[in-house]
Amino acid sequence: MLIVPFLSPQASARDYTLEEATANITIYPEGAVHVEESVSYTFDGDYNYVYRMIRTSTEESIRNIKGYCSDDACKFRVERISEGYRLIGDLPEHTPENLTFYVSYDHYGAVKVHDDVSEFHRQWGEEWEKPLGNLKVNITFPIKNDSEILYWTHPAGYTQEENLNHNVLNLKTEEIPSSYDYKVRVVFPKIESPDSSSVRIDNEKNLEKILAEEKEYRQKELKLEGLYDITLYFLFFILVIPVFIYLIYGRELKTGLEEKTGYEGETNSEEKTNSEGKTNPEEKTDHEMETNSEEGAGHEKETGHEDRSDHESKTDYKRKIRLIEIYKRKPDEDFRPAVVNAIMKGKLGIPTIDGFTATFMDLANRGYISLRNSGPEEADSSNISGSETEDFMIELNHEMCPEIKGKYYEIEGRRPEVRGSKSELKESELADFEKDILKLLNDHSSERKISWREFKKELEGTEEFYKFMISWGKKVRKHSEIDRFFQSTGSTYMNLFSRAILASAIVYYIALSGYFPSSEFPGVSKVNMLAALIGIWGFIMTKNSEIFVKVFGRWTSEGKLYYELWGNFREYITDQSALKNCPPESVKTWDSYLVYAASLGVAKQAFRNMSLIVPFEKLEESSFRPISYHYYDHSVHGFENACSSPYQGVDGTERSSKSSSFEEKDGEP
């Protein structure tokens, strides 16, 4: 690229083509060979010379060399080189557009006389850097009976026309690619009384050996043709296999919500009750929910669903009923934010950085840490240069975290709380991965407080934080129970399959190139191209295996329901119109929602929506008031709300505060 600008326009644009070549060869009775050859060029630009390379062994020589160009356009000369001879035609300053280069010579030692037959070899094309349009070859033998002549061309696929007329072999090729050889091998009756100065003499019988070599070559060509077909079918096979893996292991199951839980019947009956002015379904007690669960199970039995598997136990069934509550856009706090993030956004239960942020926010919401605006003296003492709007102080709560023992915080003076069926949380309200974040905050704080900017500065890009996140993610995965929600069998099979395909393609490509040299078997390039495509496909699938986890894996029936319900919550918390019509009941509820919004990666949208909906004075009640202020739009003073909410309207009148902010409107929840 650096050289191109310095090249002259004429030099940089020059090119040439090899239109055609001819070779008229006569084998004399004593074994000497007379050769007349020509090569036709078309030039675009100026060139210095044209040449023809004649390769010879130490037992060979060429004599009576002559050469010229059409219209006397070049000066002919011969150059002796280690490989043989170079016949050169030096071109004038301005190269003609069309030119034919002619050479002729006598070749001694080109014929090899064995004890049973004579053998002649000839090849063209190796030195040509451009494709040759076609080659015409005529070989005249010193015998009259053409039935005694055997010949082979390599590669046979280049031969377009061939015939043996009396003692003359006529060949014509199609285009020969650049740097590829075209070879002719001929066997004819042994020359009687051969002259060692004209031929090479070998006193061994080699006809059977020659026939065996040519038979092997032909068999290789047939194998190569077969391998091309097999490789093509295999390429189709590896493209189809992922489809089968997807259909068997990756196609999502229907949740069957109405059929499996009888929820539709319960909802209909509840709506009917409501229409008659009876109990609101939102106000059902736990006993009523359990009763409905049992009724739903009975309904399944009546409708023929008696073959529920063992894992569809009553406990699992009740858990599904509890998950249905999220359908009403209420997050289930039995699932820790990091766990929700690991299942919804992570890779097979490994959380993302959003899970870390959500856990940090959850600790603030539950009172283990507190967030406040930085004081002037704290801002002045900060060693972080530059101005940054999103900064606040983080303080560890002395009462909630009285001391640190070893690796984790030991929570004292607080009654352990059992959340849902999470038996592993019975010993403490905090999970081990939550304790780790408190420990991390304490290690980087001074007097149990630290600036958010300073905390980020100390952690970002450090090996310490990288190792922390690896260890932390593994702990979250243990709590995520990902196998309960997601089946990764198809993803595992696809990953193994793509790795096997990549390794096989590499081995196959190397084996092909070794067994079928491209100089002798140009057809191998087609097979190698297919092998390369297979290898590239395997590499792409292996490299992006993380992306395809959820394509070839699938959610369990419970996981599918879980995913859809949390998706509903994500849509709700990011839908400004829905939040304005049916806002959370209180700032405390908002804070809980913001934690789960962070775990789902939509914290910024949720904070912006909160700033548009919650009155400014109410933000003081939020655990995240230092963060909320950055998103608050002071030009927005209030909004009209059709649902019940404890907030006050613009006119100062107090809105009613019922037990639920989700009421029926026009027959819809």
Side-chain angles (χ1 to χ4, degrees), residues 269-285 288:
S269 64
E270 290 166 357
E271 290 177 354
K272 183 177 180 181
T273 303
N274 290 334
S275 65
E276 294 174 357
K278 296 183 180 180
T279 308
N280 190 317
E282 296 288 344
E283 299 174 352
K284 286 195 293 186
T285 65
E288 289 173 328

Side-chain angles (χ1 to χ4, degrees), residues 430-485:
L430 286 179
D432 53 0
F433 60 86
E434 293 171 325
K435 295 176 184 178
D436 281 352
I437 292 183
L438 286 176
K439 176 68 166 54
L440 185 69
L441 283 167
N442 184 77
D443 290 345
H444 288 269
S445 65
S446 175
E447 298 180 356
R448 293 201 172 185
K449 65 180 181 179
I450 187 173
S451 161
W452 172 250
R453 277 192 302 167
E454 188 175 348
F455 183 59
K456 287 200 303 180
K457 183 72 174 178
E458 291 180 7
L459 292 181
E460 282 180 342
T462 63
E463 184 178 359
E464 174 199 359
F465 189 60
Y466 173 77
K467 291 181 178 179
F468 173 86
M469 287 300 296
I470 295 296
S471 174
W472 187 79
K474 292 178 180 178
K475 292 181 180 180
V476 175
R477 192 186 191 284
K478 292 179 181 179
H479 290 270
S480 69
E481 300 178 281
I482 187 65
D483 294 337
R484 186 178 113 196
F485 297 101

Side-chain angles (χ1 to χ4, degrees), residues 376-386 391 393 451 453-454:
E377 68 285 353
E378 292 169 327
D380 293 340
S381 63
S382 174
N383 59 359
I384 308 298
S385 60
D391 189 27
M393 293 301 295
S451 161
R453 277 192 302 167
E454 188 175 348

